[in-house]
Amino acid sequence: MKAYKEVIEYLYTRLPMFTREGVSAYKKDLDNTIALCQALGNPQDKFKSIHIAGTNGKGSSSHMLASVLASAGYKTGLYTSPHLVDFRERIRVNGEVIPEQNVIEFVESQQSLIEKVQPSFFEVTVAMAFDYFAKAQVDVAIIEVGLGGRLDSTNIIRPELCLITNIGMDHMNLLGNTLQEIAGEKAGIIKANTPVVISERDPRTAQVFEEIAEEKQAPIRFASDTMEATITSRHPVGMKVSVTDTMNSLTEQYDLDLTGSYQLKNVIGVLTAVEELNHINFTIPSDRLREGLSHVQQYTGLQGRWQTISTEPLIICDTGHNEDGIREVLKNLQLTPYEVLHIVMGAMKDKDLEHILPLLPKEAIYYFSSPDMPRAMPAEELSAAALSYGLKGKPYPSVMQAFTAAKQAYQAGDLVFIGGSNFVVAEVLTALENKA
């Protein structure tokens, strides 16, 4: 394999991939990751790391923290998933994606190991990221959990700090049917004597985190106990946020280049994490903190979080895809003026539509689609399910046909929103990037 596309095709087709196949590709242990990393000389032990889990917000929080650390002068690795446009988005150093040649060389040199261990797609990408970060000699790497926490492939690291954003109902078939069970899986990243920050205190799950932290003798902080954040002004490419330390009534103002109202929950988790890092031999001055928060998209390449694709026609996308994520999308829709709302959406077969479809606005016009992957729900099936909740629209054979129809129906003053699934957003962003 000499060409990058050939290598990526090998990874996609040769290895079980959760985003494509669902539960059958999920490995419920760390054995394969441990075997891969042992063969690579345990690269995960050669750099400092910060581990981030959560149902929603872990991607935004990972990018925020990576931007802040890079702004403070640390050579910062960032591992996230899934990618939206290019596989290499998953692995970055100071915002730069892993070069194609490094991906080629890793797969070529480790092909016999991959064939022997028979790992999943995600397990290979985790090992590739750790190997790349070690060779790049990063000062610290932000590692985002893929799914859950306790049995996630990333959970072989020994981090300096853990951050858990929030807990919601998602992937219940794998993580549990109650918030407490899901919290227990997320809390599996908590390590002995390692500080852990929980962004949002929820009385239904707080005890789970507190008990596991006590068992591990891990200092624990709930960011929402001591910080409150509000939006003071908002514009298409960012917002001003006021954050009050409720312990001493001090208020600070921050500029964020992210516009989703849900970032208020994420930013207090990140600010609390920065405080903890400053207590454990990191140095993140306040001016560098502000620099990082105001340049998250520029410094890390973050996409798909209440992202304005164009202003005329007004097109906004968001990757929120579970009940809590959709609730946050709706909050942002309420803050956005429009005449007619056009929603381009799709969903995966394993999504809990009974808790999502009733939330969606009945006055919108829907353009139902099916992303190009086996795990996607057929557009006709999604359309029929939506109709039973009073949501009216038409099914389209592809995401881009649905998007094109929405744009054609658009009139001045309207809003086209793209969401429901990471993969709907990904197909639109990919097509627009290729067109550009």
Side-chain angles (χ1 to χ4, degrees):
M1 291 181 287
K2 299 298 181 187
Y4 172 71
K5 287 184 179 179
E6 189 181 349
V7 167
I8 293 300
E9 188 65 21
Y10 167 79
L11 292 176
Y12 285 167
T13 58
R14 176 69 182 79
L15 307 177
M17 188 176 179
F18 178 82
T19 52
R20 188 181 62 224
E21 300 167 30
V23 177
S24 63
Y26 180 62
K27 303 292 182 70
K28 290 191 173 184
D29 59 58
L30 304 177
D31 295 350
N32 286 348
T33 310
I34 290 170
L36 288 172
C37 287
Q38 282 180 342
L40 293 167
N42 287 319
Q44 75 279 3
D45 296 335
K46 297 175 182 176
F47 51 85
K48 292 180 178 180
S49 59
I50 296 165
H51 210 182
I52 301 184
T55 302
N56 294 300
K58 62 182 184 292
S60 294
S61 298
S62 296
H63 284 79
M64 279 190 203
L65 203 47
S67 181
V68 167
L69 283 162
S71 297
Y74 292 94
K75 189 174 187 180
T76 307
L78 175 62
Y79 176 75
T80 58
S81 63
H83 62 273
L84 289 176
V85 177
D86 183 345
F87 165 81
R88 297 180 301 145
E89 294 168 27
R90 295 169 179 254
I91 304 170
R92 297 176 183 266
V93 172
N94 282 2
E96 296 294 324
V97 297
I98 181 173
E100 290 184 359
Q101 190 57 37
N102 289 75
V103 177
I104 295 169
E105 289 173 0
F106 179 86
V107 175
E108 280 192 331
S109 63
Q110 304 304 327
Q111 189 172 354
S112 60
L113 174 64
I114 292 169
E115 302 289 349
K116 177 184 175 184
V117 174
Q118 297 286 300
S120 69
F121 172 87
F122 187 76
E123 288 166 337
V124 168
T125 63
V126 167
M128 184 189 300
F130 292 168
D131 184 67
Y132 182 63
F133 294 154
K135 287 176 177 172
Q137 298 182 316
V138 299
D139 297 315
V140 61
I142 311 300
I143 308 297
E144 180 196 2
V145 164
L147 194 158
R150 181 175 64 93
L151 298 175
D152 187 75
S153 301
T154 62
N155 203 28
I156 66 168
I157 59 176
R158 293 181 287 187
E160 307 298 306
L161 173 121
C162 297
L163 171 62
I164 301 175
T165 55
N166 76 344
I167 303 301
M169 301 301 285
D170 199 12
H171 298 299
M172 288 85 79
N173 55 336
L174 294 171
L175 303 180
N177 292 311
T178 67
L179 287 175
Q180 291 78 12
E181 288 176 336
I182 295 171
E185 290 299 313
K186 308 286 186 187
I189 71 167
I190 297 174
K191 302 295 188 299
N193 306 303
T194 301
V196 56
V197 171
I198 314 295
S199 296
E200 183 181 14
R201 179 183 284 276
D202 184 327
R204 298 168 295 179
T205 58
Q207 186 177 352
V208 175
F209 294 121
E210 288 169 336
E211 288 178 353
I212 292 176
E214 183 178 3
E215 177 189 323
K216 299 284 182 69
Q217 295 186 301
I220 185 170
R221 287 181 64 182
F222 290 83
S224 59
D225 285 356
T226 57
M227 286 189 188
E228 292 178 354
T230 56
I231 299 171
T232 55
S233 65
R234 193 175 182 183
H235 48 89
V237 293
M239 59 187 178
K240 288 186 180 295
V241 172
S242 176
V243 179
T244 299
D245 182 337
T246 56
M247 298 293 284
N248 54 29
S249 299
L250 286 177
T251 299
E252 297 282 354
Q253 306 292 330
Y254 296 96
D255 287 308
L256 269 63
D257 65 338
L258 307 174
T259 54
S261 59
Y262 49 80
Q263 301 297 359
L264 295 177
K265 298 177 181 180
N266 297 329
V267 76
I268 63 171
V270 169
L271 289 171
T272 305
V274 168
E275 284 186 2
E276 288 299 310
L277 290 172
N278 276 330
H279 292 153
I280 54 172
N281 298 321
F282 282 78
T283 303
I284 305 168
S286 60
D287 63 328
R288 297 295 87 202
L289 169 62
R290 294 176 188 281
E291 171 79 8
L293 290 177
S294 63
H295 293 84
V296 177
Q297 293 181 78
Q298 179 183 338
Y299 291 171
T300 69
L302 178 64
Q303 293 191 85
R305 274 61 169 192
W306 200 252
Q307 178 180 346
T308 300
I309 292 174
S310 73
T311 54
E312 189 53 49
L314 179 56
I315 303 172
I316 296 174
C317 67
D318 193 278
T319 54
H321 58 274
N322 51 42
E323 183 179 349
D324 288 347
I326 295 298
R327 287 185 188 279
E328 295 298 337
V329 163
L330 294 174
K331 288 180 187 176
N332 285 287
L333 285 173
Q334 290 168 2
L335 294 170
T336 307
Y338 55 80
E339 294 294 327
V340 177
L341 175 59
H342 306 266
I343 296 182
V344 178
M345 70 173 292
M348 298 296 105
K349 294 174 183 175
D350 55 0
K351 277 299 155 192
D352 180 24
L353 294 180
E354 290 182 4
H355 290 90
I356 292 174
L357 293 178
L359 302 174
L360 297 176
K362 291 181 173 58
E363 72 276 7
I365 302 169
Y366 289 85
Y367 305 77
F368 300 105
S369 63
S370 181
D372 185 18
M373 60 173 55
R375 195 175 141 230
M377 178 178 290
E380 292 81 3
E381 187 178 328
L382 177 59
S383 178
L387 185 60
S388 69
Y389 291 98
L391 307 180
K392 297 176 183 177
K394 294 180 181 178
Y396 293 84
S398 72
V399 169
M400 289 312 296
Q401 284 171 282
F403 179 50
T404 299
K407 285 196 297 181
Q408 289 173 344
Y410 177 94
Q411 295 185 7
D414 290 357
L415 166 62
V416 175
F417 175 76
I418 303 158
S421 165
N422 278 302
F423 309 106
V424 173
V425 173
E427 287 193 29
V428 172
L429 291 178
T430 301
L432 292 176
E433 185 167 297
N434 289 339
K435 187 177 180 181

